Amino acid sequence: MKQKKIAFITGITGQDGSYLAEFLLERGYTVHGLVRRVSTFHFGRIEHLSRLKKDLHLHYGDLSDASSLRAILSAIHPDEIYNLGAQSHVRISFDTPEYTADVTGMGTLRMLEATRRVCPQAKFYQASSSEMFGNSGPIPQDEKTPFHPESPYAIAKVFAHDTARRYRDAYGMFVACGILFNHESPRRGEDFVTRKITLGVARIHKGLQRKIILGNLDAKRDWGYAPEYCEAMWRMLQHKTPDDFVIATGKTYTIKEF
């Protein structure tokens, strides 16, 4: 009998983590997820999975705590690791720059080092971000485009991305970096602009509010569909050799057009 593959996902309670967990469970994986201990219930995106799937296991830990990461990896010895956990809101990263740098940047270093020491043969996916490009440089961007980060979040992601690449080169680890542009779904956080607009429209229709207040309507974004991008993450780890991959639709729209 073929042994099931084991996957470990940080950020499993987020939009991408929940879709990726679904995807992997459907393909016969045993899925383990990292969750932070907080006082409020935050498992809404994966609650249906934990009820229905015996192959989903959650572990308390934190990207700011290296010992918890090593302990979990030692217990489960995953075949694949998907590092999606981060403080991922660009604007909020200006309010909490130190926290963002620690969790989004140093958290990746802690995960990579734990992997190197405990399960170096595991394939590692690093969730990089199109925010690393900033607003300068050629359009469209590709894997060779220089980075010009313009927020604490983007700076932390560049640190994480370059650290992942160094671990790949220095230690021969299978580390793939996915540089993903914006990707949306009904599970997107309500403080992101797509959900702010769609929820606002629904509330206006129900007579609960009169208007939607937004920022720069001329800002352009490349919006994809989150479940498809999560499949792309998996495909990167099935590639023969680890590399960096930009994932985007290739089409941009303004907030005003949306």
Side-chain angles (χ1 to χ4, degrees):
M1 183 177 178
K2 187 177 180 181
Q3 188 174 2
K4 287 187 173 186
K5 280 190 174 182
I6 299 171
F8 179 57
I9 304 172
T10 70
I12 194 171
T13 58
Q15 170 190 252
D16 291 1
S18 65
Y19 281 120
L20 180 61
E22 276 185 355
F23 180 88
L24 295 174
L25 288 167
E26 288 171 358
R27 277 152 185 77
Y29 280 68
T30 297
V31 176
H32 295 260
L34 179 72
V35 294
R36 289 182 299 121
R37 176 69 180 92
V38 295
S39 59
T40 55
F41 187 81
H42 63 297
F43 296 162
R45 295 186 180 99
I46 60 171
E47 186 178 7
H48 65 295
L49 296 178
S50 60
R51 285 201 309 266
L52 300 175
K53 297 289 184 178
K54 63 181 180 180
D55 290 326
L56 176 66
H57 309 276
L58 303 180
H59 305 264
Y60 284 116
D62 201 295
L63 287 171
S64 65
D65 178 22
S67 63
S68 67
L69 303 178
R70 289 195 300 268
I72 295 168
L73 294 184
S74 295
I76 68 176
H77 279 277
D79 301 292
E80 298 174 2
I81 296 170
Y82 296 86
N83 187 40
L84 312 185
Q87 191 302 101
S88 59
H89 198 287
V90 174
R91 192 203 62 75
I92 291 174
S93 73
F94 286 95
D95 299 331
T96 60
E98 184 177 342
Y99 174 76
T100 300
D102 185 40
V103 174
T104 305
M106 286 298 295
T108 298
L109 173 60
R110 295 183 187 105
M111 270 304 309
L112 286 162
E113 184 62 11
T115 301
R116 182 179 77 85
R117 291 181 177 276
V118 176
C119 48
Q121 299 306 313
K123 294 183 176 182
F124 191 104
Y125 172 80
Q126 169 56 24
S128 297
S129 169
S130 62
E131 288 290 331
M132 300 187 304
F133 293 128
N135 292 321
S136 57
I139 295 177
Q141 290 95 352
D142 60 26
E143 291 82 0
K144 305 297 184 183
T145 303
F147 298 135
H148 296 282
E150 297 181 344
S151 68
Y153 168 74
I155 293 167
K157 278 293 186 182
V158 171
F159 173 87
H161 177 81
D162 283 344
T163 301
R165 294 181 58 171
R166 295 290 74 76
Y167 268 69
R168 179 172 69 204
D169 296 340
Y171 300 115
M173 294 168 60
F174 193 110
V175 179
C177 298
I179 306 173
L180 275 53
F181 278 73
N182 297 71
H183 42 289
E184 315 300 312
S185 77
R187 298 181 193 174
R188 187 63 144 153
E190 295 181 8
D191 52 350
F192 288 86
V193 68
T194 51
R195 289 281 278 149
K196 186 175 182 180
I197 292 171
T198 55
L199 287 171
V201 169
R203 289 178 62 83
I204 289 171
H205 179 70
K206 291 289 187 179
L208 300 176
Q209 70 185 60
R210 296 181 59 191
K211 61 179 69 174
I212 304 171
I213 300 174
L214 300 170
N216 180 12
L217 296 182
D218 295 321
K220 294 183 177 181
R221 291 291 182 269
D222 181 316
W223 283 300
Y225 183 44
E228 295 176 346
Y229 282 40
C230 291
E231 179 177 348
M233 299 174 191
W234 174 79
R235 288 184 179 275
M236 290 179 209
L237 295 195
Q238 313 317 306
H239 201 254
K240 290 183 178 180
T241 55
D243 209 337
D244 306 331
F245 301 89
V246 171
I247 304 297
T249 69
K251 299 179 180 179
T252 59
Y253 301 90
T254 64
I255 303 295
K256 187 175 183 178
E257 286 177 297
F258 187 100

